[in-house]
Structure formats: structure tokens, C-alpha cells
Amino acid sequence: MKKSILLLLALAALTGRTFAQPADTAFSQERLARIDRLLQQYVDQNRLAGAVALVLHDGQPVYQRAVGWSDKEAGRRMTTNTIFRIASQTKALTSTAILALVEEGKIGLNEPVGHFIPTFNMTTVAVKNDTGIATVPARRAITIQDLLTHTAGISYGTESHVAALYEAKGLGPAAGNGWYTADKDEPICGTMERLGTLPFVAQPGEAFVYGYNTDILGCVVEKASGMPLDEFVRTRITGPLGLKDTRFFLPPAERDRLAAVYSSGRDGLIVRAPEGSKGQGSYVDGPRKSFAGGAGLTSTAHDYARFLEMIRNGGALEGVRILAPRTVDLMTTNQSGTLHSTTGLGFGLGFETVDRYGSSGMAGVGAFGWGGAYGTTYQVDRQSHSVIVLMIQLMPNSTDIQTKFSTLVYQALVK
């Protein structure tokens, strides 16, 4: 069985065609073909350069397709082994690294971050008032769990009342869209230590604020493990799982495997994104010093789906255990109440969770997922035993392809 799966994946990588396991009848092949038409339509209309889509059912590929171009200007077609910048999908791997260290007793979920990064021992909050901005002390220490659930009050520093302060420290507006650090000529801990001296935008535990939380956790991994984040991820997660294409920076010899970034221009039609922090980024020729746990990784659809299958399978895959089942349950259930959403979505320790059917399209209760700034997205659905991955490179992203793709996957699920 394993040899047949590998053969299918190899053929798919070469041809970009769709393959399915003949014995799997949970998905209708006729209905899955609707995804082909959808993706091709977006490419033909110049709303998307290209995409790779992958759906696993019980760990087996039922749909895999590459359409369009990885680089239109260079004439390179998209293939299923094309590499993508996955931005915030990095957060799931960094959260996994943190939980692995929690299991070893090296980190406590309720432990103050200041135990690892001293500048976080006495944090502050910027508060708007009638006369402008006041900086007040945080009412309590920020914990590891606050960072995992994005309830620490830490943004990307692009809000108008703090942007100038962050920019002066090389963060926020000075870091592209705030989250980008691939061009920084310093280790991530240096950047995060500086972040700890800046005021945040909400009190710990009082709001869901999306920002540098997981980048801080990447530094915590380094401090608690005694090794750089890239080495920890490689030796503890990607290496054991066989994820050979999930890395913070690409070797120069593989630059042609990296898909180009496009932007949604006039009327939603794509244009090639510029070089630099708001476009192509420094993932090949960068300083290779900043391993950003919040948004730094590159990967393939196959690699990322395999990582997610490990999570779906309770922390283990093919005899390799990364986390305990109880730990995975903690990560993938809502740990933030209604701070993230009041419409049926929650946030666990690294993943957005589906707590009510209909709050995330057709995803079942117990599903979890997230996405990345370059347009990549994923969902793991426990009820249907499925892993769904869509890889594109579009920033800023004004397309609705992610929601339509999810709908077309679920409409093909007939058992």
C-alpha cells in the first residue's frame, strides 16, 4: 500500500494530475473534479498565477492537483512539489515545538515569558485617552499560554498609536507588514528582546490580538532547548516526519522550486509582487539568521499535509511520535473562550477551532486550521478524517478562492 501511495505522489509531482485511492469511496471523484474547474478558472481569468491543492482522507491522498504557473514570467509551470512561503502556517510547527518542551517539563503553560526573555518581566500597554496616548503597566505577567492563544495583547505594531514606536525599533512598519523578519541580520531572540521594551495594545488575557506572539515563542524554544529554532524544528519535527522541504530558507540551488509572489491589482487581476519585505522576500538570499517562529517557514503541500496528519492522528505518524494524544487535544480545542470569536470559532494552543457547525463553512465541529499571509490555507476535520491544504502565493490577497475551495472539498464528501 505504501509503495502505491508513493508512486501516485511521484506521478502527481511530474504531471500535476489528480489521483485518488480506488478503494476510498468517501469522496466522489466526479464531485472532486469540480475543484479542477474552479482552480483552472481562477488561473484563466488571471486572478491566480497557480495553486497546489491536496486532500487526504485517513492519511491517503484522494485529491492532488497543480494548476497554472509557479512563475509566469519565467515560464515555470506549477508542480505538486513547488515550494511556498507559508507565513503564519509556521505558527503550528512552533506551537508544536513549545508543547514538546512542555511535555519534557522545560516549559510550563502558565509560566511567565519573562523567565526566558527578561525584557518581558515588566511589560507595558499603550492606552488611548483624551489627551493622546498613555503607557501603563501590564496588570499581570504574560504567560506561555497567553502567547499560544494570542491573548497576550501583543500585535504586529502597525496600529497608528504605536506604529512610530515600533518602527524606531525595527519592528511594525519597519518589518514590511509587521511580521516579516527574513531580511534581519540578527537572531530572532535579539528582535524579541527588543520587542519586550515596547508597549503592547491590550492587557494580558483580555483580548484576542494577533501579532508577534509565536515569534516570541520561537525565542522561548531556543532559550529552553539551548539550540536555534531551525535546528530544533529540524531535529524534533520535520526530520523525524520526513519533511525534507520544510525550512526557513532555501538552498540557492533550489530557488527555481520557490513559487513567485503575486499581488491582487486592479479589478482583482494579479501582478507580480516587488522584491523586498512586502513581496518576494529574502527566503533564498537573505542573511539566514532570523528564524521567525510566527511566519518564517517555506514548505510544500505534501510536507504540510503530512505534518497535519500527524496532529490529526493524535501526535504520531508511522511509528514516529511527536506529541502525546492529550497534548494534541489541548492544542486543538478552544482555550480562549469567546475572546477570538462569538460566532462559533475558538482558538486553541496554536490553531483556530470550529466549535459550532456553520461557523467555518461546512467544517465539522472539532475541526481546526489557519492560514498564511501569502494566501495558503489548511483545515483538519476530525469528523470526516480529512486534511485539506491549498497553497497559493498572493499578497495582498483579495480572492475568495480559499472559501470556495473548502466548500468544493466538502461537497465532494459523500460518506
Side-chain angles (χ1 to χ4, degrees), residues 5-283:
I5 295 168
L6 291 173
L7 177 60
L8 286 174
L9 291 173
L11 288 171
L14 290 172
T15 65
R17 290 179 56 197
T18 303
F19 292 96
Q21 293 294 307
D24 195 316
T25 59
F27 284 85
S28 162
Q29 294 303 303
E30 180 181 1
R31 285 177 167 266
L32 282 172
R34 294 174 179 176
I35 304 175
D36 291 357
R37 295 190 287 271
L38 175 75
L39 296 177
Q40 193 62 53
Q41 176 186 359
Y42 274 67
V43 171
D44 292 344
Q45 293 176 349
N46 204 35
R47 297 165 67 189
L48 202 63
V52 174
L54 177 59
V55 180
L56 304 182
H57 181 245
D58 282 326
Q60 311 305 324
V62 295
Y63 182 88
Q64 186 170 220
R65 183 83 160 97
V67 299
W69 307 92
S70 69
D71 189 323
K72 291 186 70 174
E73 291 73 20
R76 286 200 299 270
R77 302 290 304 188
M78 189 71 78
T79 68
T80 54
N81 69 348
T82 293
I83 295 172
F84 297 82
R85 305 155 190 80
I86 62 171
S88 286
Q89 290 187 197
T90 305
K91 290 176 169 66
L93 281 91
T94 304
S95 298
T96 297
I98 285 286
L99 270 296
L101 291 167
V102 169
E103 290 186 341
E104 295 176 7
K106 293 181 178 179
I107 298 174
L109 286 176
N110 294 318
E111 189 169 2
V113 180
H115 287 183
F116 302 95
I117 310 174
T119 55
F120 281 81
N121 276 320
M122 297 183 67
T123 59
T124 59
V125 177
V127 180
K128 295 180 182 179
N129 57 30
D130 294 338
T131 60
I133 305 298
T135 300
V136 301
R139 286 194 278 269
R140 68 165 175 80
I142 294 171
T143 68
I144 299 298
Q145 180 148 328
D146 290 331
L147 297 176
L148 286 164
T149 56
H150 297 278
T151 57
I154 301 173
S155 70
Y156 281 123
T158 56
E159 295 86 349
S160 60
H161 66 296
V162 297
L165 296 172
Y166 278 67
E167 188 168 20
K169 296 283 189 178
L171 291 158
N177 296 295
W179 48 264
Y180 177 84
T181 69
D183 59 350
K184 286 194 177 296
D185 195 17
E186 67 175 353
I188 194 65
C189 277
T191 312
M192 295 301 103
E193 286 162 6
R194 196 161 60 252
L195 174 68
T197 68
L198 291 166
F200 303 135
V201 298
Q203 289 287 345
E206 295 187 5
F208 181 92
V209 181
Y210 196 61
Y212 287 113
N213 301 274
T214 319
D215 296 289
I216 301 166
L217 290 173
C219 175
V220 172
V221 170
E222 294 195 351
K223 299 284 190 179
S225 69
M227 64 179 74
L229 181 61
D230 69 326
E231 183 180 346
F232 188 92
V233 169
R234 183 177 65 252
T235 58
R236 297 290 299 275
I237 302 173
T238 60
L241 291 175
L243 312 184
K244 297 180 180 179
D245 290 320
T246 302
R247 298 161 291 194
F248 285 95
F249 297 94
L250 271 71
E254 295 190 37
R255 69 173 65 244
D256 287 350
R257 292 185 60 198
L258 182 64
V261 181
Y262 292 84
S263 300
S264 295
R266 190 180 62 182
D267 300 324
L269 302 182
I270 61 168
V271 294
R272 191 183 183 90
E275 298 298 324
S277 60
K278 293 188 177 182
Q280 305 301 326
S282 302
Y283 298 96

Side-chain angles (χ1 to χ4, degrees), residues 296-353:
L297 283 171
T298 64
S299 190
T300 62
H302 171 264
D303 265 19
Y304 205 80
R306 186 170 171 83
F307 163 74
L308 293 174
E309 180 62 17
M310 176 273 293
I311 298 290
R312 190 193 72 84
N313 201 43
L317 188 65
E318 296 174 0
V320 175
R321 179 160 296 284
I322 307 297
L323 294 172
R326 289 275 183 158
T327 304
V328 170
D329 287 344
L330 199 62
M331 295 179 74
T332 58
T333 54
N334 185 8
Q335 305 296 330
S336 56
T338 58
L339 290 179
H340 174 53
S341 167
T342 58
T343 61
L345 294 173
F347 211 92
L349 305 185
F351 297 99
E352 182 181 66
T353 63

